[in-house]
């Protein structure tokens, strides 16, 4: 069974930081491209870590987010700094990410998704 699980969310004040984690079971993340999404009016693609080392960041988080991998832990992280209230959302990871496909509801897109982790940023 291919499963993803997000963790690391929480409540922080504006300007704070969180590190989200996406841990895989049943497959090896090192062999996979992984995307982070967040649910707003639509499911927004935030970042991608590709298995070849390529990364992608949306304009909304570029400069504030860093995606990384720990293959030994079968985990992909999303470090988010300088958090803003507009970052408040449920964050999801998915594999494979589809950069050029519009997704309206996180979890209902193509591929495998976790259940999400809540990030709340207060002003």
């Amino acid at each position: 069974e291919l499963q993803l699980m997000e963790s690391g969310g929480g409540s922080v004040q504006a300007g704070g930081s969180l590190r989200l984690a996406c841990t895989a079971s049943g497959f090896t993340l090192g062999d996979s491209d992984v995307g982070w999404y967040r649910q707003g009016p639509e499911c927004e693609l935030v970042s991608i870590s590709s298995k070849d080392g390529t990364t992608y960041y949306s304009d909304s988080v570029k400069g504030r987010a860093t995606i990384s991998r720990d293959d030994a832990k079968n985990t992909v992280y999303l470090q988010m700094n300088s958090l803003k209230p507009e970052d408040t959302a449920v964050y999801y990871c998915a594999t494979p990410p589809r950069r050029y496909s519009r997704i309206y509801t996180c979890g209902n897109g193509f591929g495998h998704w976790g259940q999400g982790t809540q990030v709340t940023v207060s002003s």
Side-chain angles (χ1 to χ4, degrees):
E1 187 76 19
L2 304 180
Q3 294 186 5
L4 294 171
M5 183 175 67
E6 302 92 342
S7 61
S11 297
V12 298
Q13 294 194 356
S17 298
L18 288 171
R19 187 166 73 159
L20 310 182
C22 172
T23 300
S25 60
F27 67 103
T28 300
L29 275 186
D31 298 332
S32 307
D33 302 332
V34 178
W36 280 98
Y37 295 79
R38 62 189 181 187
Q39 185 68 61
E42 62 181 51
C43 182
E44 176 191 1
L45 176 63
V46 175
S47 184
I48 295 173
S49 172
S50 297
K51 58 188 177 184
D52 65 0
T54 303
T55 59
Y56 162 84
Y57 301 95
S58 69
D59 290 341
S60 62
V61 304
K62 192 172 185 178
R64 301 187 296 119
T66 303
I67 193 166
S68 61
R69 291 171 176 258
D70 187 335
D71 289 343
K73 294 183 172 63
N74 211 25
T75 297
V76 172
Y77 299 98
L78 183 68
Q79 175 73 41
M80 298 195 67
N81 303 320
S82 301
L83 284 162
K84 305 174 181 179
E86 51 262 46
D87 294 319
T88 295
V90 177
Y91 284 69
Y92 298 82
C93 61
T95 186
R98 299 191 67 183
R99 179 176 174 181
Y100 304 106
S101 297
R102 187 169 65 251
I103 302 169
Y104 294 103
T105 303
C106 294
N108 290 343
F110 175 84
H112 304 282
W113 295 76
Q115 295 299 307
T117 185
Q118 176 72 53
V119 170
T120 302
V121 184
S122 60
S123 60

